[in-house]
Amino acid sequence: EVQLLESGGGLVQPGGSLRLSCAASGFTFSNYAMTWVRQPPGKGLEWVSTTSGDGGSTFYADSVKGRFTISRDNSKTTLYLRMNSLRPEDTAVYYCAKVVYSSGPKFDSWGQGTLVTVSS
Amino acid sequence: DIQMTQSPSSLSVSVGDRVTITCRASQSISTYLNWYQQKPGKAPKLLIYATSSLQSGVPSRFSGSGSGTDFTLTISSLQPEDFATYYCQQSYNTPQTFGQGTKVEIK
């Protein structure tokens, strides 16, 4: 059974930094691209970033480009999101998800999410 | 970026009703369209991918159709566990944008 467990969320001041982790199990982690999706309180879903299975390719939403860095450690089966220069509009629940390519990418398994609150 | 627009934003229905949710893309996305279900306080769940392919374990009362810019999610007979918010997502290119969501509520 695929399991994804996010951690690292919390309250941070504007301009601060945070690193989220997503511990994966139940599948061959290095074979799959992984992604982060966020959801501000009471609002819809926004794709944030995706990394390939070997971590060699990364993609970012314009809203986080230059501030966020996605990475992975395949030996630890863990996905990361380093978030710098945080803004109040980054406040959201952050989900990690496994990506499967089948007539386009689909996010077929999701973690439970971790809440990031950016506020002074 | 490709804009995804869902309609309606919400609807009130009864158990057993047939439900149809539409999603329109701002440009053609072929059949690169996924649907997700999200219940309050829970992570989204993949229901349908590539417009009409049912994800493993999803009940057959869910179906999807469309191509190009116009897509539909249909629930043939709404069950109590189907009250949730539904999101479409284009997987044609990056960024993989989502619709704003359609909340299905109990009448």
Side-chain angles (χ1 to χ4, degrees):
Chain A
E1 178 193 4
V2 172
Q3 290 195 4
L4 299 169
L5 184 63
E6 301 95 337
S7 61
L11 175 63
V12 61
Q13 292 188 339
S17 298
L18 213 54
R19 189 181 80 159
L20 306 183
S21 299
C22 170
S25 62
F27 63 103
T28 305
F29 184 68
S30 59
N31 285 356
Y32 293 91
M34 295 292 295
T35 197
W36 290 97
V37 174
R38 67 184 181 182
Q39 184 171 37
K43 297 189 177 181
L45 302 169
E46 180 189 15
W47 171 79
V48 173
S49 182
T50 296
T51 179
S52 59
D54 63 1
S57 297
T58 56
F59 307 90
Y60 298 94
D62 286 346
S63 58
V64 307
K65 199 172 295 181
R67 300 187 299 122
F68 289 12
T69 302
I70 192 172
S71 62
R72 62 192 298 159
D73 185 335
N74 286 345
S75 68
K76 296 182 178 179
T77 66
T78 301
L79 175 73
Y80 302 100
L81 185 67
R82 176 69 180 183
M83 304 184 295
N84 296 330
S85 303
L86 282 161
R87 306 166 180 168
E89 56 265 35
D90 295 319
T91 294
V93 174
Y94 285 73
Y95 296 100
C96 66
K98 172 173 158 278
V99 183
V100 173
Y101 289 89
S102 175
S103 296
K106 59 179 181 177
F107 304 161
D108 76 335
S109 299
W110 297 62
Q112 86 291 345
T114 188
L115 176 62
V116 173
T117 302
V118 184
S119 175
S120 54
Chain B
D1 297 359
I2 298 174
Q3 306 302 315
M4 306 300 293
T5 304
Q6 290 180 231
S7 60
S9 296
S10 65
L11 67 162
S12 296
V13 296
S14 300
V15 172
D17 284 354
R18 181 181 182 89
V19 173
T20 299
I21 299 169
T22 63
C23 178
R24 176 164 290 176
S26 60
Q27 67 181 73
S28 177
I29 58 170
S30 184
T31 57
Y32 293 92
L33 193 283
N34 303 325
W35 289 97
Y36 298 85
Q37 176 194 65
Q38 186 179 33
K39 297 181 180 179
K42 300 295 186 181
K45 172 188 173 184
L46 178 66
L47 294 178
I48 289 173
Y49 62 96
T51 296
S52 59
S53 296
L54 210 59
Q55 177 68 2
S56 176
V58 174
S60 59
R61 62 181 179 273
F62 291 93
S63 63
S65 64
S67 68
T69 61
D70 294 315
F71 301 86
T72 299
L73 171 69
T74 300
I75 309 172
S76 59
S77 177
L78 197 77
Q79 298 303 298
E81 60 268 30
D82 301 336
F83 290 96
T85 299
Y86 294 85
Y87 294 93
C88 63
Q89 177 209 26
Q90 65 83 13
S91 57
Y92 182 77
N93 65 10
T94 298
Q96 290 137 27
T97 41
F98 291 87
Q100 81 279 13
T102 295
K103 187 174 184 179
V104 177
E105 300 174 298
I106 301 172
K107 183 182 287 184

